[in-house]
Amino acid sequence: MRRQCPASDRETGGVRNTPTRISPLFLALLAVTVLGGVLATSDNRALIITGVVLLVLGGWATSLCLHEFGHAVAALRGGDREVREKGYLTLDPRRYTDPVLSLLLPILFVLIGGIPLPGGAVWINHGALRSKRDEANVSLAGPAMNLLLGIGLTASVATIEMPFGLAAGLSYLAFLQVIAFVLNILPVPGLDGYGAIEPWLSPKARHFGEQARPWAPLGIVLILFVIPGASYVFFNGADALFNAVGGNTRLYAYGNLYFRFWE
């Protein structure tokens, strides 16, 4: 997700002159993911389950950072130099708004088997962007990162011989990336799909979008859970895209079973 840049330092966190080296916290998340992958190669079921849980949770947290990093890089290329000062290029999840809403809540939803919610949001100075195309590219860069991650994970499973537990965990993580892409690309205020078309909307439509932005994403989640058939259509679309990018449905199903071992 990305947001309009507020005017004051207080609203942007007061971050200035932040280095662009990779955040140790991001590296720690990556280390958890790798550890999970190593454990998932075991022949012991308990270790496989532990490994898949760590792999998926660590991998999902890592992908949240990469999603926002994608927005930030696109904004930098489009003319917004402030993203560097705000620390968005460090991949530090603490820079992407509130740590609870940006990281912990999306992880919790994944853990309980819910829809992978969008994570944090980078504050973009749209006035610094050179064109409407740049604005659209900033919005699309986040979901594109999820899709690329999903394709990369499915490709690794398809081309590299690996233990079953690791393949299952990576397949489940890949499916989460695909779901995140499908959800974020919806043209709904507050989601990146809407941000991609917003620059070309009329002032009246954009005003309506601003009013709807705070609650529209939650409304989508409620619709998926409340309206009969809505979740079926959504997940069928995600399944179709997962298969289209080379995903293995059988491995994804086993990864889901390992990850949600308590059911």
Side-chain angles (χ1 to χ4, degrees), residues 21 130 183 207 219:
R21 63 178 180 273
R130 290 185 289 265
L183 178 64
H207 176 72

Side-chain angles (χ1 to χ4, degrees), residues 29 57 60-61 64 93 98-111 117 119-120:
L29 293 174
L57 291 181
W60 176 242
L64 291 174
D98 184 84
V100 175
L101 297 177
S102 303
L103 189 64
L104 297 183
L105 190 59
I107 289 176
L108 178 62
F109 262 73
V110 169
L111 189 61
L117 293 175

Side-chain angles (χ1 to χ4, degrees), residues 211-236:
Q211 299 300 312
R213 191 186 303 275
W215 54 263
L218 178 60
I220 289 295
V221 174
L222 291 176
I223 287 173
L224 291 176
F225 281 106
V226 173
I227 296 181
S231 62
Y232 176 81
V233 173
F234 176 82
F235 282 103
N236 263 16

Side-chain angles (χ1 to χ4, degrees), residues 44-57 110-113 172 252-263:
N44 181 282
R45 180 176 174 80
L47 287 178
I48 292 175
I49 289 174
T50 302
V52 169
V53 171
L54 291 177
L55 171 65
V56 172
L57 291 181
V110 169
L111 189 61
I112 64 177
Y172 184 66
Y252 148 71
Y254 273 101
N256 183 40
L257 289 174
Y258 287 138
F259 182 71
R260 302 173 68 182
F261 61 90
W262 60 89
E263 295 185 350

Side-chain angles (χ1 to χ4, degrees), residues 5 10 24 37 53 74 82 103 122 129 147 157 163 193 218 231 234 237 258:
C5 180
R10 178 182 60 81
V53 171
E82 294 179 21
L103 189 64
V122 295
L129 298 178
L147 184 58
V157 172
L218 178 60
S231 62
F234 176 82
Y258 287 138

Side-chain angles (χ1 to χ4, degrees), residues 164 168 171 242 247-255:
F164 184 82
S171 294
F242 182 66
N248 186 311
T249 305
R250 174 174 170 269
L251 288 174
Y252 148 71
Y254 273 101

